[in-house]
């Protein structure tokens, strides 16, 4: 099954908390090597959708398949170790240095120290952080942009097939953001990862996405390529497009 | 004696007491951490347990320490007297700060951090070890620090159950009106609290994020101080046992072992010391469990924690058997001996020869000036006097209520209820005008106090005897016979004065009496 083209798929997934429906009838699939962008307004259910994939939360109805098997049928810890995840904000461990943070997934996997050290340096280089300068720093000694890079490096270090990113470049100024988007596009291309990427920024969605899923009030209202999105007659899609046309 | 002379003369004992104190505090804290930390973690996982467990720990902390010690005495395995009970009581006190701070520390962690840990595929145990405990460490360490500082203080009270420690000096100092003892005990325990606080504070700060540069040096300083304290606990012990001060119960392996107890005042200690030395002379291995407060000696005897201790017939008759006071000494002795045998299976020794009756005391100058001789003399002039009595006198059947009724006292002011040994000082200092002391107390002449005559024969006789467990009675018989009617009131008062007034060791005074008699 793992050879199949589809890495993630949602089948009629609904999710509710305390009787309140947060997701309703979600059907999605993510093919190997593609970057699916979840786009939508604040509160529409993007983060919730993402967390269903690595089973930080469990579906109320329907099922989520990863590599062909239901997430509910495998051990959650095993599942998560094969998936890189970057939180919406923060998520770095404040009591660990940059190097310790990035190396942690490998430490959990029981890799030896020397291998971890080399791999951490490699990852820091990849996300544009000079290991000499940054390896020994604590998160609070880094800028917001540097912390985001570190989060990406940590998600990549164990070489997972699947990467989940929740607005990784959220709280950044426009220039830094643009630079990071470019670098991230390059990294994903080089490494050939499968990515689910959450954003509410259309520009980012168009730049990074091989396909875009537009969400509204807990439903997926559009699913297609950026080109198809640009041509969509949907009012919500038009509203987004107008923000960039300005 | 100057404080310096006092320290020079007593440094070995001071080190031993400090060592005991540190050992009690460290052990109890270790227990509290070993129990409280996992419990705290459990509470963060099973929230429903939070209210009941924290509630229990909360209640434990509100139980007054002396009461807690008392409650623990009759409990098998964990209770009894001595250091073990103290460690358990202190651990119960220390539990709350440890549990509460563990819970607060872990629950206070940003949920995003926990989510990141889960998303990385950490198991619950890995998350705890790598993320939650390190991040909660400063808060948890604060809890431990609070627990230790509380323990150093409460441990002084543990001397009342024979646990040793610096409280021994504090209690003894109060009793013997000796500032050197008080200062030595209080200053040493305050210093201990400060040192512990400093050590744990350094370790705690080393966990604060952003303190990387000072991290190691802080940890070294903290562990250094803690290590030094532990070293005092260990090396001090060796030093002291080598110096052969021998109190911590290093007993010969063979031979019958007898545990002698005493109440927590000088006379009881001297009597217990006399019996102990007599028994040692007969070749028994004797363990001292002295200075037990309140009713602890009796409870300990029943619980089999001690084998024998000095008691007074009047106390046994009224306070323990709860009978109405009678004034005939022989009847009281006979009735007490009979009831003790039947009700408790305990044996009374023959009378030791003196009685320690309640003595109603006023200042000598007042007695001389106003020509007061009997208790009845004082009734008309005492309306505005401030009376002060020990807890014992206030609560017992033959104490305050009956006393006031029998003589028709009408004090305008409520009498002060306070520690017995403090009433002597307070009377001498003019803070109190009338107190109830003990007739053999050496302080009576030392402080120029006057004993009023009990002209209505209200107070029952308090003849000194030993109470022993039946299974040890045979072994004790020769010593009991040797002490039958052997100590006169005058001799007892002199011995009390030697200790309370002249600050000599009960051990020496007892040995001296045994040489001369
Ligand atoms: N644990 C929860 N309990 C109750 N409601 C929740 C919970 N988690 C999410 N929600 C609600 O579900 C909806 C979707 O939340 P979600 O975090 O998925 O939004 P989002 O699309 O990621 O928004 P944003 O862009 O602001 O991050 C919101 O209305 C939110 O209030
Ligand atoms: Mg979100």
């Amino acid at each position: 099954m793992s050879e199949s083209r589809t890495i993630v798929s949602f089948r009629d997934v609904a999710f509710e908390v305390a009787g309140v429906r947060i997701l309703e009838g979600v059907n999605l699939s993510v093919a190997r090597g593609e970057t699916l962008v979840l786009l939508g307004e604040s509160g529409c259910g993007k983060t919730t959708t993402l967390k269903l994939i690595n089973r930080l939360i469990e579906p109320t109805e329907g099922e989520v398949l990863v590599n062909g098997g239901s997430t509910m049928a495998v051990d959650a810890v095993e599942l998560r170790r094969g998936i890189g995840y970057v939180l919406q904000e923060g998520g770095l461990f404040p009591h660990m240095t940059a190097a310790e943070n990035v190396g942690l997934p490998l430490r959990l996997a029981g890799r030896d120290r020397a291998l971890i050290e080399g791999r951490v340096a490699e990852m820091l280089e990849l996300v544009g952080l000079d290991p000499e300068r940054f390896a020994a720093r604590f998160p609070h000694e880094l800028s917001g942009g540097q912390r985001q890079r570190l989060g990406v490096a940590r998600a990549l270090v164990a070489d997972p097939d699947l990467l989940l990113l929740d607005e990784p470049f959220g709280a950044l100024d426009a220039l830094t953001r643009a630079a990071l988007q470019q670098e991230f596009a390059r990294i994903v291309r080089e490494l050939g990862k499968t990515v689910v990427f959450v954003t509410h920024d259309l520009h980012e969605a168009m730049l990074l996405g091989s396909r875009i899923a537009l969400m509204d009030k807990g439903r997926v209202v559009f699913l297609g390529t950026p080109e198809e999105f640009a041509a969509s007659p949907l009012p919500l899609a038009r509203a987004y497009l107008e923000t960039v046309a300005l | 004696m100057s404080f310096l002379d006092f320290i020079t003369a007593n440094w070995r004992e001071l080190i031993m007491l400090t060592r005991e104190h540190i050992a009690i505090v460290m052990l109890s804290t270790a227990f509290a951490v070993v129990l409280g930390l996992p419990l705290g973690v459990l509470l963060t996982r099973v929230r429903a347990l939070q209210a009941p467990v924290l509630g229990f720990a909360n209640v434990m902390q509100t139980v007054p320490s002396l009461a807690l010690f008392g409650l623990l005495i009759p409990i098998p395995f964990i209770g009894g007297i001595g250091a073990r009970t103290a460690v358990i009581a202190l651990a119960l006190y220390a539990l709350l700060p440890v549990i509460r701070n563990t819970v607060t520390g872990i629950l206070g962690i940003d949920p995003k951090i926990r989510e990141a840990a889960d998303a990385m595929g950490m198991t619950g145990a890995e998350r705890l070890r790598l993320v939650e405990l390190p991040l909660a460490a400063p808060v948890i360490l604060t809890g431990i620090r609070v627990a230790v500082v509380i323990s150093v203080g409460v441990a002084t009270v543990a001397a009342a159950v024979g646990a040793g420690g610096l409280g021994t000096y504090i209690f003894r100092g109060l009793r013997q009106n000796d500032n050197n003892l008080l200062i030595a005990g209080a200053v040493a325990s305050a210093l201990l609290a400060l040192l512990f606080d400093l050590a744990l504070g350094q370790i705690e700060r080393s966990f604060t994020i952003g303190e990387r540069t000072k991290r190691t040096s802080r940890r070294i300083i903290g562990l250094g101080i803690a290590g030094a304290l532990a070293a005092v606990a260990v090396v001090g012990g060796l030093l002291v046992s080598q110096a052969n001060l021998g109190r911590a119960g290093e007993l010969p392996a063979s031979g019958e072992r007898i545990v002698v107890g005493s109440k927590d005042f000088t006379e009881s200690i001297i009597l217990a010391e006399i019996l102990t030395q007599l028994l040692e002379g007969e070749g028994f291995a004797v363990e001292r469990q002295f200075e037990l407060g309140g009713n602890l000696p009796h409870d300990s005897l029943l619980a089999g924690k001690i084998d024998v201790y000095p008691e007074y017939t009047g106390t046994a008759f009224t306070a323990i058997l709860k009978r109405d006071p009678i004034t005939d000494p022989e009847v009281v002795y006979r009735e007490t001996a009979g009831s003790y045998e039947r009700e408790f299976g305990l044996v009374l020794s023959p009378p030791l020869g003196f009685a320690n009756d309640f003595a109603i005391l006023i200042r000598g100058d007042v007695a001389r000036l106003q020509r007061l001789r009997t208790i009845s003399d004082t009734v008309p002039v005492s309306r505005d006097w401030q009376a002060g009595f020990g807890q014992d006198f206030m609560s017992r059947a033959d104490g305050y209520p009956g006393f006031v009724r029998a003589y028709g006292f009408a004090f305008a002011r409520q009498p002060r209820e306070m520690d017995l040994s403090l009433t002597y000082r307070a009377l001498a200092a003019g803070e109190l005008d009338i107190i109830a002391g003990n007739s053999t107390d050496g302080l009576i002449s030392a402080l120029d106090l006057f004993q009023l005559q009990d002209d209505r024969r209200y107070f029952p006789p308090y003849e000194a005897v030993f109470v022993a467990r039946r299974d040890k009675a045979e072994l004790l018989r020769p010593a009991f016979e040797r002490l039958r009617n052997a100590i006169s009131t005058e001799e007892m008062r002199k011995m009390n004065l030697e200790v309370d007034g002249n600050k000599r060791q009960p051990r020496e005074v007892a040995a001296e009496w045994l040489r001369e008699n």
Side-chain angles (χ1 to χ4, degrees), chain A residues 2-246:
Chain A
S2 63
E3 290 307 306
S4 132
R5 262 187 54 76
T6 305
I7 302 280
V8 178
S9 55
F10 280 61
R11 290 193 186 150
D12 296 318
V13 171
F15 176 74
E16 62 180 59
V17 175
V20 180
R21 286 257 150 170
I22 290 168
L23 291 183
E24 179 75 64
V26 173
N27 284 288
L28 274 180
S29 60
V30 185
R32 177 175 298 282
E34 92 167 322
T35 297
L36 176 74
V37 172
L38 298 177
L39 177 69
E41 288 171 285
S42 186
C44 70
K46 306 180 296 291
T47 298
T48 307
T49 306
L50 207 61
K51 285 185 189 173
L52 281 165
I53 299 172
N54 64 356
R55 213 178 123 182
L56 285 174
I57 54 175
E58 295 171 357
T60 313
E61 280 169 28
E63 56 179 356
V64 178
L65 306 173
V66 172
N67 288 327
S70 164
T71 54
M72 298 306 293
V74 292
D75 180 46
V77 168
E78 279 309 307
L79 176 74
R80 291 170 189 159
R81 290 203 177 173
I83 301 175
Y85 184 77
V86 180
L87 267 78
Q88 191 158 357
E89 59 207 31
L92 294 174
F93 299 122
H95 60 300
M96 296 182 186
T97 62
E100 286 166 346
N101 261 289
V102 173
L104 196 51
L106 296 176
R107 204 172 134 196
L108 292 177
R111 300 299 166 75
D112 66 73
R113 200 177 280 267
L115 181 140
I116 295 177
E117 238 169 72
R119 180 84 182 140
V120 165
E122 199 181 312
M123 283 302 115
L124 289 176
E125 298 270 15
L126 183 71
V127 297
L129 294 173
D130 177 7
E132 295 269 312
R133 280 180 60 201
F134 294 101
R137 291 208 196 169
F138 284 97
H140 73 270
E141 297 166 328
L142 297 171
S143 75
Q146 288 161 347
R147 281 202 286 269
Q148 301 285 31
R149 289 166 193 259
L150 208 56
V152 172
R154 188 174 69 179
L156 285 170
V157 75
D159 199 22
D161 291 333
L162 180 57
L163 272 183
L164 309 178
L165 297 100
D166 195 351
E167 300 188 46
F169 314 132
L172 294 179
D173 67 277
L175 284 179
T176 313
R177 193 181 170 110
L180 274 176
Q181 284 165 350
Q182 296 295 347
E183 278 179 60
F184 182 72
R186 169 184 61 84
I187 291 168
V188 170
R189 223 179 306 118
E190 277 173 18
L191 302 178
K193 300 285 180 198
T194 309
V195 179
V196 182
F197 191 108
V198 167
T199 183
H200 50 240
D201 175 44
L202 177 68
H203 179 75
E204 195 166 74
M206 300 292 258
L207 178 73
L208 299 176
S210 40
R211 281 193 305 151
I212 294 172
L214 181 63
M215 297 187 67
D216 187 22
K217 299 189 185 77
R219 291 170 178 276
V220 176
V221 294
F222 169 90
L223 184 61
T225 61
E227 293 72 32
E228 288 164 349
F229 186 85
S232 165
L234 265 175
L236 186 61
R238 305 301 329 158
Y240 265 104
L241 288 162
E242 272 160 33
T243 63
V244 269
L246 278 174

Side-chain angles (χ1 to χ4, degrees), chain B residues 456-514:
Chain B
R456 298 217 170 146
R457 298 181 144 280
Y458 167 70
F459 291 113
Y462 288 85
E463 286 190 297
V465 293
F466 282 104
V467 186
R469 290 177 65 80
R470 189 157 33 196
D471 52 350
K472 296 288 163 77
E474 224 24 70
L475 297 174
L476 290 163
R477 192 176 305 277
F480 284 175
E481 282 309 321
R482 161 90 158 78
L483 294 174
R484 177 194 286 270
N485 282 326
I487 306 171
S488 69
T489 306
E490 206 33 59
E491 282 174 328
M492 193 65 241
R493 208 179 259 181
K494 241 179 63 198
M495 286 193 276
N496 283 335
L497 187 61
E498 282 302 308
V499 176
D500 290 339
N502 301 336
K503 312 300 177 209
R504 295 182 51 207
Q505 294 292 326
R507 203 172 280 237
E508 275 173 43
V509 175
E512 213 168 79
W513 183 88
L514 281 168

Side-chain angles (χ1 to χ4, degrees), chain B residues 11-160:
Chain B
W11 66 271
R12 282 216 175 86
E13 193 181 22
L14 185 61
I15 286 183
M16 185 194 68
L17 294 175
T18 307
R19 174 196 91 90
E20 286 173 351
H21 211 87
I22 296 172
I24 291 172
V25 168
M26 282 192 161
L27 259 177
S28 60
T29 308
F31 270 123
V33 171
V34 164
L35 205 69
L37 197 68
L39 214 59
V41 171
L42 180 72
L43 295 197
T44 64
R45 304 293 194 250
V46 189
R47 305 267 174 116
L49 288 177
Q50 260 177 46
V53 173
L54 283 177
F56 170 77
N58 244 324
V59 167
M60 285 320 303
Q61 272 221 325
T62 63
V63 178
S65 45
L66 204 52
L68 185 57
F69 288 128
L71 289 172
L72 284 173
I73 300 260
I75 299 178
F77 302 116
I78 63 166
I81 52 175
R84 191 179 43 181
T85 310
V87 166
I88 286 165
L90 290 183
L92 285 173
Y93 277 112
L95 220 43
L96 179 66
V98 173
I99 297 178
R100 193 179 43 205
N101 282 41
T102 304
V103 173
T104 317
I106 290 180
L107 293 186
I109 295 170
D110 182 356
K112 293 258 175 214
I113 300 289
R114 195 167 294 128
E115 193 177 299
D118 285 338
M120 195 177 279
M122 287 191 195
T123 62
E126 284 167 341
R127 192 179 79 189
L128 186 67
R129 182 168 54 87
L130 296 170
V131 178
E132 289 173 312
L133 286 182
L135 284 176
V139 182
I140 296 174
L141 280 165
T142 305
I144 295 175
R145 189 152 63 111
V146 169
V148 167
V149 173
I150 292 176
S151 295
V152 172
V154 179
T156 58
V157 180

